[in-house]
Amino acid sequence: MVVDRNTVPLAMGDVRITFNGTVEVPGKVEFIHPLHNLAVVSYDPKSIGNTPVRAATLRVKDLGAGDDVWVVGQRSDSKIMSQRTAVSSVDAVAFSLVAHPAVFATAIWRP
């Protein structure tokens, strides 16, 4: 699954994925993009049993103006929304860097 880097800012640590607020399974960070706001997390599909989940079909060809697409997102109240729309234009975009939590190392010296 693809998540934002505020959800998974670092590759180290434990990842837990919750489906429908009821099924929690372990996950693994597979990839964190160094510049763009995305990370890829995997899980074992067998671990969610009969939970109704299906894979998104990704388009292989480049998009162009006028192509039909679905926009999927999550509202601030956690409701998933989707809407069919058309690409108006394809332009370069500048993504801001993600603010990472500060990690401090402390050394204890004992002579």
Side-chain angles (χ1 to χ4, degrees):
M1 67 179 39
V2 178
V3 299
D4 68 341
R5 285 188 55 191
N6 292 319
T7 302
V8 179
L10 303 167
M12 72 178 179
D14 294 332
V15 174
R16 303 292 295 172
I17 303 168
T18 304
F19 291 88
N20 202 30
T22 58
V23 178
E24 186 177 294
V25 299
K28 178 183 174 190
V29 178
E30 298 290 347
F31 173 76
I32 296 179
H33 196 283
L35 298 177
H36 301 308
N37 186 21
L38 66 95
V40 177
V41 178
S42 67
Y43 66 94
D44 180 3
K46 295 175 193 162
S47 65
I48 62 172
N50 292 330
T51 305
V53 175
R54 54 187 179 145
T57 303
L58 302 179
R59 190 175 188 167
V60 179
K61 78 172 199 127
D62 291 340
L63 292 172
D67 286 345
D68 289 329
V69 295
W70 281 91
V71 177
V72 179
Q74 184 175 14
R75 295 187 342 189
S76 59
D77 64 358
S78 297
K79 184 175 181 180
I80 302 296
M81 302 295 296
S82 64
Q83 178 177 337
R84 188 177 191 145
T85 189
V87 175
S88 59
S89 67
V90 178
D91 301 305
V93 64
F95 293 100
S96 62
L97 294 176
V98 176
H100 296 290
V103 178
F104 299 98
T106 304
I108 300 175
W109 174 259
R110 294 186 182 166

